[in-house]
Amino acid sequence: MREIETIATRIETSAQEIFAMVRAAQRNGETVGLVPTMGALHKGHLSLVDRSVAECDKTVVSIFVNPTQFAPNEDLKSYPRALDRDVSLLQERGCWLVFAPAVEEVYRAGHDTTIDVGSVAKPWEGAARPTHFPGVATVVLKLFLMVPADRAYFGQKDYQQSLVVRQLVADLNVPIEIHVCPIVREPDGLAMSSRNAYLSAEERSQACLLWQSLKLAESLYIEGETDVATIKQAMVRLLGSIGDIRVDYIAFLGEGTVRPVETIAGPTIVAIAAHVGRTRLIDNHRIG
Ligand code: PAF
């Protein structure tokens, strides 16, 4: 474990400046970790920062609410923004630089290139939000080029996103190591997400059913049930038992893939997307 330096976290908005600072640190023999975020930081993000601070000499956190990954009917305008609070949290964790560029710094006038990652980006989240992964892949590649870090840290909550990023990095020979870190949960099991802030008190109390349904899948499996249709039925019954939860999909996927399985025969990711009131939440859990 590295000791956390007490340093003043600097906010940088220029792509050229941050590139030069990262390269200078690397020329000095230091490793640089990048934690890409859209801000409104919670304990899930901070666990990625802690991991980077522990493993790299210097940590950069990018805070950029990326417009291209939101569809026109989605929550780009209302997405929570809290730069001052975020920076003071990052300062406490020993973050070196916050990269908080303006939209025009990332997408210059006339920007017209989109990254299409292919089959891993098409089902599940890709089907529900067809413009989402092209927007994510484009901005993640741009962040990797602007902040040429040695390692980048992502959360397992966005399971499919982590596969999209791995595919992008492998296909385009991007010289960065991708690390995917465990989901951080509230005491009642709800996965940490900036979008949890949208939930009313009643919706918040219902939202933990997502986690309960994932745990139910795990217990049924442990009791010997391997038939996915049977487990899914029980999950849907639980999710329909109270309140205003509308399931988008429940998917049982071979670990490391987006391919659905019908029988659990090895490590399997149970992924769920559901609307709780008007808020769309995702979560997943590894079983098998
Ligand atoms: O996971 C997120 O917060 C975003 O999708 C990311 C990776 C920062 C790209 O905007």
Side-chain angles (χ1 to χ4, degrees), residues 122-135:
K122 299 297 178 277
W124 317 117
E125 285 307 288
R129 307 175 67 195
T131 57
H132 178 65
F133 285 133

Side-chain angles (χ1 to χ4, degrees), residues 137-201:
T138 304
V139 81
V140 165
L141 181 60
K142 285 168 82 66
L143 287 168
F144 289 169
L145 292 170
M146 293 184 280
V147 185
D150 302 282
R151 296 163 167 220
Y153 295 83
F154 292 85
Q156 166 77 12
K157 184 175 83 70
D158 296 297
Y159 168 72
Q160 193 175 359
Q161 170 173 281
S162 70
L163 299 184
V164 167
V165 171
R166 283 191 192 285
Q167 183 85 38
L168 164 83
V169 162
D171 289 354
L172 300 183
N173 306 91
V174 186
I176 193 162
E177 263 178 42
I178 303 301
H179 294 261
V180 178
C181 308
I183 298 175
V184 179
R185 298 183 178 281
E186 299 282 2
D188 67 356
L190 178 65
M192 300 268 176
S193 162
S194 305
R195 290 193 167 98
N196 292 349
Y198 298 152
L199 299 168
S200 68

Side-chain angles (χ1 to χ4, degrees), residues 225-231 252-253 259-265 268:
E225 185 57 77
T226 56
D227 179 52
V228 164
T230 308
I231 301 179
F252 286 61
L253 311 170
R259 278 190 301 278
V261 296
E262 286 176 11
T263 306
I264 304 172
T268 304

Side-chain angles (χ1 to χ4, degrees), residues 35-39 45 62 64-66 69-70 79 132-133 135-137 139-140 143 153-155 158 161 165 194:
V35 182
T37 80
M38 298 207 297
H45 295 117
S62 63
F64 179 64
V65 182
N66 172 38
Q69 69 189 77
F70 291 80
Y79 196 85
H132 178 65
F133 285 133
V136 169
V139 81
V140 165
L143 287 168
Y153 295 83
F154 292 85
D158 296 297
Q161 170 173 281
V165 171
S194 305

Side-chain angles (χ1 to χ4, degrees), residues 32 43 46 56 64 74 96 136 144 162 209 218 251 253 281:
V32 177
K43 287 183 188 148
L46 297 177
C56 304
F64 179 64
E74 290 182 350
W96 173 49
V136 169
F144 289 169
S162 70
L209 273 187
E218 182 171 45
L253 311 170
L281 299 177

Side-chain angles (χ1 to χ4, degrees), residues 6-57:
T6 331
I7 45 156
T9 303
R10 173 167 158 184
I11 305 179
E12 192 48 73
T13 56
S14 149
Q16 223 179 335
E17 281 291 318
I18 196 128
F19 182 90
M21 292 178 76
V22 170
R23 279 287 186 248
Q26 288 165 331
R27 270 197 306 275
N28 236 359
E30 293 176 304
T31 52
V32 177
L34 169 66
V35 182
T37 80
M38 298 207 297
L41 303 181
H42 49 67
K43 287 183 188 148
H45 295 117
L46 297 177
S47 73
L48 307 181
V49 175
D50 288 346
R51 178 86 180 263
S52 173
V53 168
E55 293 180 356
C56 304
D57 295 308

